[in-house]
Amino acid sequence: MTAEMPLRASPLFKGLEEEAMCHIIDALKSEQWPKHRVVMTPEDTMHRFYLLVKGRVKVVNQNPKTGRMITLFLLGPGDGFNVISLLGGQRHELTVETLDDVEALSAPVGQWIKWLGTYPALHLAMHRYVISRLHELSELASDLALYDTMTRLVHLILRYFGDSDGDLPNRSNLIKDLPHAELAHMIGTVRVVVNRLLGELRDEGLINTGGGELHVKNLEKLLQKAEHYIQT
């Protein structure tokens, strides 16, 4: 199965024996969606758990009255959603939308729970994955509560272009070509502010935004900038 290739590197299958992984993958349902399609609503969160094979999705929460949106997670090949449904089995107020043409594999939440009980390595990998995601969510909450917009943007860039923490794959490809409006949703601001702040970072020689892609030019100075803003 072609889907096995990206999933072999998935943190959700880390340590799982080949036979067990193939058994799980063979039982999954293949799905494809075009970009900019809502593929999970709050009503759907209790039913299925998905593994991404190709493309990116964003997990968002939105104020129904104001329309303001915050992106909680940005996910790519090897990632899974909705991971919280495997823990509590309850409805969650979030929406998942594709950013690219996406391929995914899925099974009912109940089936995943059975696999977690059958394969200790899968259970351990899922545990580590959840901890990594909770840590990421904690960082987002801290940024929104404690730091100004420039600091939040610098932290975002560092999270995706810095070293992986070991339980999540390298993620720089997930954000480098995102529209500025999408970056704004990830730090709780608006596109025009992100435009201005990226311009400042570019003028300082810290990043490059040529060709519609974001690249870090000077990681050391970007780290220093983050530390400076935190101290002041």
Side-chain angles (χ1 to χ4, degrees):
M1 177 181 289
T2 57
E4 288 186 18
M5 294 306 296
L7 292 184
R8 288 182 188 278
S10 171
L12 292 167
F13 286 149
K14 187 175 182 179
L16 192 64
E17 293 182 358
E18 181 79 11
E19 182 179 354
M21 186 184 72
C22 291
H23 171 74
I24 292 174
I25 292 177
D26 287 343
L28 298 177
K29 176 185 176 182
S30 178
E31 303 192 43
Q32 298 183 355
W33 303 297
K35 61 182 177 181
H36 306 314
R37 169 77 62 85
V38 173
V39 297
M40 178 177 284
T41 66
E43 291 75 19
D44 301 324
T45 54
M46 298 182 294
H47 303 306
R48 300 188 74 83
F49 178 76
Y50 295 84
L51 285 172
L52 285 170
V53 177
K54 177 183 176 182
R56 298 169 294 179
V57 302
K58 61 178 180 178
V59 182
V60 306
N61 203 331
Q62 187 171 20
N63 186 316
K65 295 182 178 179
T66 66
R68 292 191 62 184
M69 179 185 300
I70 184 74
T71 296
L72 303 177
F73 302 110
L74 185 63
L75 308 178
D79 282 320
F81 68 93
N82 163 40
V83 69
I84 299 177
S85 64
L86 300 184
L87 304 178
Q90 298 178 346
R91 167 190 166 113
H92 300 283
E93 295 301 323
L94 55 81
T95 300
V96 180
E97 181 180 342
T98 61
L99 294 172
D100 310 300
D101 293 339
V102 165
E103 296 179 14
L105 298 173
S106 73
V109 167
Q111 180 61 67
W112 279 101
I113 292 175
K114 290 180 181 179
W115 286 330
L116 289 171
T118 301
Y119 303 113
L122 180 66
H123 188 277
L124 179 59
M126 184 67 72
H127 177 74
R128 289 173 173 167
Y129 186 77
V130 170
I131 289 176
S132 295
R133 286 301 175 195
L134 289 177
H135 178 69
E136 190 175 353
L137 193 60
S138 175
E139 288 182 334
L140 173 62
S142 296
D143 276 0
L144 293 173
L146 301 176
Y147 302 120
D148 63 15
T149 312
M150 173 60 91
T151 308
R152 300 201 300 267
L153 178 60
V154 171
H155 284 177
L156 175 68
I157 295 171
L158 289 173
R159 287 189 194 112
Y160 281 85
F161 285 89
D163 293 333
S164 171
D165 65 5
D167 291 310
L168 293 174
N170 183 282
R171 299 177 293 163
S172 61
N173 286 336
L174 294 183
I175 71 165
K176 69 178 185 179
D177 64 343
L178 279 185
H180 293 177
E182 295 294 349
L183 295 177
H185 292 158
M186 298 181 74
I187 60 172
T189 187
V190 294
R191 179 183 57 81
V192 64
V193 173
V194 168
N195 289 348
R196 175 175 57 81
L197 297 178
L198 287 175
E200 292 179 16
L201 294 176
R202 184 177 59 248
D203 292 343
E204 293 178 35
L206 304 183
I207 64 170
N208 187 327
T209 56
E213 292 190 353
L214 170 64
H215 297 278
V216 173
K217 291 182 62 178
N218 194 320
L219 182 59
E220 182 179 355
K221 288 188 176 181
L222 197 63
L223 286 165
Q224 292 174 356
K225 189 176 188 69
E227 293 174 358
H228 170 76
Y229 271 86
I230 290 174
Q231 292 171 358
T232 57

